[in-house]
Amino acid sequence: MKKRNFRLIFMTILIFIMTTALTFAQEVDVAAQNAAKFGIWTLVPPIVAISLAFITKNVIVSLVLGIMSGGFILNIMGNNPFMAIFYSFLDLIQRAVNSLADPWNAGIILQVLAIGGVINLVGKMGGAKAIAEALSKRAKSAKSAQIITWVAGLLVFFDDYANSLIIGPMMRPVTDKMKISRERLAFIIDATAAPVAGIAIISTWIGLEVGLIGSAFDSIGVDANPFGVFLSTIPFRFYNILILGFIVITALLLKDFGPMRKAELECRKGSSNISSNEDANKELSKHDDMEPLPGVKLSIWNAIIPIGALIVGALFAFYYSGYTTIMGGEDSAVIQIMKNSPASFDAIKEAFSNADASVALFQSALFAGIVAMVMGAFKKIFTLSEALDIWVDGMKTLVITGVILICAWSLSSVIKELGTAKYLIQLLSGALPPFILPSLIFVLGAIISFATGTSYGTMGILMPLAIPLSYSINPEMSYIIVATSAVLTGAIFGDHCSPISDTTILSSMGAGCNHIDHVRTQMPYSIFVAVITIVFGYIPAGFGLPVYLVLPLAFVAMFIGIQIFGKSVEVEDINGKEVLDN
C-alpha cells in the first residue's frame, strides 16, 4: 500500500513538473513562434500606429487601430475577416483591462492624476504666478531677463503646459521692456517646457516614462527597477540638457543666427513686438487653467509648501517602499545594511533602487494634495469642498495621459505577443552596427514626434521596440540605458519643434508671438542642437564613451558652433552709440 502511494505521489509530481515546464516553455516561445509564423506581418501594428499618427495627427486613434491590427493578425487564422475584426475589438478591450488590472500600471495612472490635482491647486492658490512675478522683478537687462525666464522655466518643472501658460504672460512685459523679441521669448518658454518636464524626477511626465520603461523591460524578461533606469537615463538625455545650455550661452553672448537674429535686430531697433493675433490670445485664455482664483493674494509660499511637500513626501515614500521591500526579501547583506545603518548612503541607495515608484509617487502626490487643500482652506482661499473640486478638475486635464498610457501598454502587449521585437532582432541584429542604434532611435523618434506633435504617443510606439532591440545587440545595461534615453529625447526634440505640438502652440500664445514666426525662428536652433546631440552625444555614447566625457565634449562643440554661426544682436543708434543690455 505504501509502495503504491509512493508511486502515485511520484507520478503526480512528475506530471506536474512536466506540465509546468511545457506551459512555461509555451509562454516563453509564443513570441518566437509568432515571429516565425507571421514574419514581416509582425511589423504591421507599429507601422499602422506610426502611419496613422502621421495622417490623422491623433495618437489615440492611431494606437487603437495599431492594437486592433495586431489582434486581427492573431485572430485571422481559421476565421473569416469579419470575425477576425470582431475578435480584434474584443482583444483590444481585454488588453486595456489587463493593463489597468496590473498594480504597477494602476499606480502610475493614479500618481499622474494626483499630480495633476496638486498642480491645479497650486495654480488656483496663486503660488505659481507669485513665483513668476517675483522672478520677473529681478530682470534689469536683456541678458538678465532671458536668464530669469530660463530660471523660471526650470522652477516650473512639474508640467510643460503649466510652464507655457505661466512663464509667458508673466515675463512678456519684462522682455518687451528690454527689447527682446516675442520670438525669442517663445523659444525660451518652449525650450524649458517639455525638455525640463521630461527629465524632472517629479512631474506629470514621469509616470508615462517610467511606466513604458517598466513594460519594455518586462517584455525581455529583465528584472530592472524602472525608476532606477529612468534616473540613469538623465545624464544621457543630451538634447534636453544641451538645449537648456544653448539658451544660457546665446543669452550671455547676446548672439543669435538665422531668422531669430533678424527678429531680435528688428526688436532692438524698435520695430513692433506685439502680436496682432487676437485669436491666439483668446485661445490662450481657454487653456489658462493656472490663473489664480479671483481676489487671491499672491504668495510664493502657496507654491513652495505644496511642491515642497510633494518632493519631501516622495523622498520619504521611496525610502519606506524600498525599506519594506528589502526587509521582506532574502538578501541578508542588504538587510544588514538597513538594520545597522539605515541612514547611510548605501542604505538610501538600496532603498530607492528597490522602491515601487508607482506607489511612492502616488503617496507623495496624495500627501501634497492634502497639504495644499488644508493650506488653502486655512488661508480662506477656498473651502475644503471647493478644494476637492479643484483637485478633481486638475485630474481631468491629465485623463488624456492615462488614456494614452493604457493604449501604449496595450500596443506593447500585442507587439510582444506577435513577436515583433524578435522579428526585428533577427532582421537587424547582425546588420546594424551597435554604435549607430541610439542615433537611429533618436532620429526615428524625432520624425514621428514632429509629424504627430506628441512625444507621449511616440514614446508609447517606440519604447516596446527599442529596448528589446538594443538588448539583443548589446545586453549590457549601460547600452540599453543609452538607447532608452534616445527614445525619450528624440520624442521630446520632435515635440519641441513641431508646429502642431500643444506645447509649441501654447508657448507662442503665452509669449504673444505669431505661431508660424515662433516655429520658423525656433526650428534652426532645435535642428542645430539635435545635430550636436547625434554627432557629439549619441554616437560617442554608442561607442561606450563615458557620459562625463561626452557631455563636456558636446557643450564645447555647441559653444564653438554658436561662435561660428552666431552674430551679435547689438545695434547702433543714429549717433553711432551702441545699444547694449549688460
Side-chain angles (χ1 to χ4, degrees), residues 230-456:
F230 168 81
L231 292 178
S232 299
T233 65
I234 292 177
F236 296 96
R237 307 283 283 276
F238 298 122
Y239 180 80
N240 303 50
I241 297 170
L242 291 173
I243 196 71
L244 295 175
F246 181 89
I247 297 171
V248 174
I249 294 171
T250 52
L252 293 177
L253 295 177
L254 287 177
K255 284 188 174 184
D256 286 290
F257 56 84
M260 185 68 79
R261 182 171 184 268
K262 183 179 178 182
E264 281 288 274
L265 287 173
E266 288 179 355
C267 187
R268 292 289 201 280
K269 291 174 183 177
S271 299
S272 176
N273 194 35
I274 307 299
S275 172
S276 60
N277 193 343
E278 293 182 2
D279 292 336
N281 293 328
K282 290 178 181 177
E283 189 67 22
L284 178 63
S285 64
K286 293 179 185 178
H287 288 277
D288 197 356
D289 296 325
M290 300 301 294
E291 189 66 23
L293 293 173
V296 172
K297 184 180 179 181
L298 300 184
S299 170
I300 60 172
W301 294 106
N302 290 351
I304 292 174
I305 292 176
I307 298 300
L310 181 63
I311 295 170
V312 174
L315 295 176
F316 276 102
F318 271 109
Y319 182 86
Y320 179 76
S321 175
Y323 178 85
T324 54
T325 301
I326 290 169
M327 299 309 289
E330 299 178 354
D331 192 332
S332 57
V334 179
I335 291 173
Q336 285 302 315
I337 292 175
M338 302 304 292
K339 285 182 177 179
N340 297 333
S341 51
S344 66
F345 176 77
D346 288 338
I348 294 171
K349 182 181 72 173
E350 291 293 341
F352 273 59
S353 64
N354 284 278
D356 186 334
S358 65
V359 174
L361 287 170
F362 175 54
Q363 290 170 336
S364 60
L366 197 58
F367 171 68
I370 294 170
V371 169
M373 290 182 207
V374 172
M375 182 180 176
F378 180 78
K379 298 181 77 171
K380 296 183 179 180
I381 297 173
F382 40 60
T383 65
L384 283 175
S385 178
E386 290 171 338
L388 279 170
D389 290 339
I390 293 170
W391 186 66
V392 172
D393 197 48
M395 288 184 175
K396 293 176 184 176
T397 61
L398 289 174
V399 167
I400 188 67
T401 302
V403 174
I404 292 173
L405 264 173
I406 293 169
C407 291
W409 286 325
S410 301
L411 180 64
S412 177
S413 170
V414 77
I415 284 175
K416 178 183 176 181
E417 186 174 342
L418 269 175
T420 306
K422 289 186 178 294
Y423 177 76
L424 277 177
I425 289 166
Q426 295 170 3
L427 194 67
L428 299 175
S429 58
L432 199 63
F435 79 90
I436 204 68
L437 180 63
S439 300
L440 288 179
I441 292 172
F442 176 84
V443 171
L444 184 57
I447 292 171
I448 297 170
S449 186
F450 179 84
T452 61
T454 171
S455 49
Y456 279 18

Side-chain angles (χ1 to χ4, degrees), residues 12-155:
T12 302
I13 294 172
L14 183 62
I15 292 170
F16 174 77
I17 292 172
M18 291 179 65
T19 305
T20 305
L22 287 172
T23 303
F24 179 73
Q26 185 180 9
E27 289 177 356
V28 171
D29 292 335
V30 162
Q33 290 171 1
N34 284 335
K37 182 197 297 184
F38 297 114
I40 197 171
W41 292 103
T42 62
L43 300 178
V44 168
I47 290 174
V48 166
I50 292 170
S51 302
L52 288 177
F54 274 79
I55 297 168
T56 66
K57 313 299 182 188
N58 190 311
V59 67
I60 294 176
V61 170
S62 306
L63 287 170
V64 165
L65 292 178
I67 298 161
M68 288 188 66
S69 68
F72 180 85
I73 293 170
L74 288 170
N75 288 285
I76 190 63
M77 304 297 291
N79 293 299
N80 63 53
F82 296 105
M83 288 303 297
I85 293 172
F86 174 70
Y87 286 133
S88 68
F89 176 72
L90 296 181
D91 184 66
L92 164 70
I93 294 172
Q94 189 60 50
R95 291 182 191 279
V97 171
N98 290 342
S99 296
L100 269 179
D102 183 274
W104 167 268
N105 293 350
I108 292 294
I109 296 286
L110 288 172
Q111 69 94 357
V112 166
L113 296 176
I115 287 178
V118 174
I119 291 169
N120 202 36
L121 285 166
V122 170
K124 298 304 181 187
M125 290 165 66
K129 188 172 184 178
I131 288 178
E133 285 193 353
L135 288 172
S136 67
K137 292 176 182 177
R138 298 180 178 274
K140 304 297 182 183
S141 66
K143 287 182 182 179
S144 63
Q146 292 182 66
I147 297 299
I148 290 294
T149 306
W150 178 81
V151 172
L154 296 183
L155 291 178

